[in-house]
Amino acid sequence: MTKKIIIDTDPGVDDALAIMLAFNSPELNVIGLTTVFGNVAVERSTANALILSEFASYPVPVYQGQGTPMQRDTPNYPDFVHGADGFGNIDWPASDKQAESQNAVDFIIQQVRANPGQISLVALGPLTNLGKALEQAPDIAGLVEEVVIMGGAVHTSGNVSPVAEANIIGDPHAADKVMTARWPLVMVGLDVTSQVLLSKEHTAAIAEANPRQGELLYRACDFYIDYYRDELGIPGCMVHDPSTIAYLIDSSLFEILSGPIRVATDGLAMGQTIFAPAGRRYPYPGWENKPNQQVCFKVDKQRVLDLLIDRLSHPPSLD
Ligand code: RIB
Ligand code: CA
């Protein structure tokens, strides 16, 4: 059964890898890309999503979303990680397509209400669009198939601070609202995504096998992989967003624990995802009466990498 998904995204180099993986996977039907600020400004993430939508073998509309967080100030865009253009400073030509006139939040609400139990929301950026959708239409919590987010860090270091991961700290108030909503949520965080590394040899092989999609990915990954080499001394880039799409394709690649998740919304720990194992009671309030969500703690990293490389090397036929 093909999963209908909406990908909420801030492309972003690893978002590009993830979106192409989704386009190339018969298990998934991407009914729309909704954009948000994060790696770049929302106008740029929308332009990049339009570029990516050209690489699908079926029509994928793009809907522009929120450009600023719900409450905190807008964080600086990490151009040192994804480039000023979000694609590793490769100046890829803009698409001549336009985003839809409907905004991302209204699209998410409309689609979830029109397809009860059938839409999976997949968030690869800050959770502002999902937070706004919950605020405007709380009923959608009971209507989604599931919510799968790339974000957070529980038993491993953050990447923006020692405790905060970028998507969560990008809008911590939205993240806490999303984590505590009564909908089935899976958190694919740095505990697993930081283990899956894509090298320049991998991206070269993908571009060789699939030049149509691979050229953009190969060129965009160059800057992104250099960041990981220079900053962390590792031989490849962490494929955070593609690992999240891999969960949707085959959840058996991951092991999960269940329990409520809260997000610190200010102070030194802002953006920390704080997980309480299901059933554990604490004297300090905050996790009681909150829904158990699913957090990925283990991953078969080789199988995720093999899936990513295989699907990006073998696009569906265009006829
Ligand atoms: O922390 C990694 C996440 O932040 C990824 O989604 C990356 O694209 C950025 O959005
Ligand atoms: Ca992202």
Side-chain angles (χ1 to χ4, degrees):
M1 176 76 171
T2 302
K3 271 183 193 283
K4 280 186 178 177
I5 69 172
I6 294 172
I7 300 178
D8 194 64
T9 180
D10 63 335
V13 177
D14 63 325
D15 300 71
L17 290 163
I19 289 166
M20 296 269 207
L21 170 61
F23 288 163
N24 292 6
S25 297
E27 302 87 345
L28 306 176
N29 173 16
V30 184
I31 66 170
L33 299 178
T34 55
T35 62
V36 66
F37 73 93
N39 290 321
V40 289
V42 69
E43 294 78 10
R44 181 74 245 181
S45 64
T46 303
N48 288 347
L50 287 164
I51 290 170
L52 295 169
S53 71
E54 307 262 9
F55 289 99
S57 57
Y58 53 90
V60 178
V62 173
Y63 300 83
Q64 181 160 322
Q66 299 295 304
T68 57
M70 292 182 92
Q71 291 186 45
R72 65 155 289 186
D73 59 313
T74 304
N76 297 327
Y77 308 124
D79 54 4
F80 55 96
V81 182
H82 295 267
D85 65 354
F87 280 167
N89 294 329
I90 62 172
D91 292 329
W92 194 268
S95 166
D96 56 13
K97 290 172 62 176
Q98 297 296 316
E100 304 300 312
S101 56
Q102 186 178 35
N103 73 59
V105 173
D106 291 344
F107 172 71
I108 289 168
I109 295 168
Q110 177 195 44
Q111 288 300 317
V112 170
R113 283 177 169 166
N115 301 277
Q118 299 174 52
I119 305 287
S120 295
L121 302 180
V122 184
L124 307 179
L127 293 167
T128 313
N129 289 334
L130 272 62
K132 286 281 188 183
L134 279 169
E135 199 170 61
Q136 292 175 24
D139 59 295
I140 65 169
L143 297 172
V144 295
E145 181 182 19
E146 66 177 343
V147 177
V148 182
I149 72 148
M150 191 281 132
V154 176
H155 295 150
T156 193
S157 169
N159 56 8
V160 172
S161 84
V163 295
E165 178 278 328
N167 289 338
I168 303 299
I169 198 171
D171 192 337
H173 297 88
D176 192 51
K177 187 181 286 285
V178 167
M179 299 293 194
T180 56
R182 295 196 175 278
W183 54 12
L185 180 140
V186 178
M187 187 181 106
V188 185
L190 297 180
D191 297 86
V192 291
T193 66
S194 60
Q195 298 179 44
V196 190
L197 302 184
L198 190 72
S199 70
K200 289 189 180 183
E201 291 70 28
H202 294 138
T203 57
I206 289 164
E208 173 82 21
N210 173 15
R212 185 175 72 86
Q213 295 175 332
E215 183 196 350
L216 184 154
L217 298 176
Y218 174 74
R219 290 173 55 192
C221 283
D222 204 49
F223 184 93
Y224 189 56
I225 292 170
D226 286 350
Y227 164 76
Y228 278 93
R229 177 198 61 207
D230 301 340
E231 189 67 27
L232 300 176
I234 56 179
C237 62
M238 297 176 183
V239 284
H240 305 295
D241 294 337
S243 299
T244 308
I245 298 298
Y247 175 87
L248 284 145
I249 296 167
D250 181 359
S251 60
S252 75
L253 296 167
F254 299 84
E255 291 181 37
I256 59 180
L257 288 176
S258 176
I261 309 164
R262 294 306 306 272
V263 178
T265 54
D266 58 18
L268 205 55
M270 183 170 83
Q272 183 175 14
T273 44
I274 312 167
F275 170 79
R280 176 72 194 271
R281 293 186 300 174
Y282 295 93
Y284 191 82
W287 289 264
E288 69 288 346
N289 305 320
K290 300 297 183 205
N292 290 335
Q293 307 295 18
Q294 311 297 314
V295 179
C296 295
F297 279 103
K298 288 187 181 174
V299 60
D300 185 331
K301 59 185 179 183
Q302 190 57 52
R303 282 176 62 203
V304 171
L305 190 63
D306 292 346
L307 174 69
L308 174 60
I309 293 167
D310 177 64
R311 294 290 170 89
L312 291 183
S313 300
H314 304 102
S317 61
L318 289 178
D319 53 18

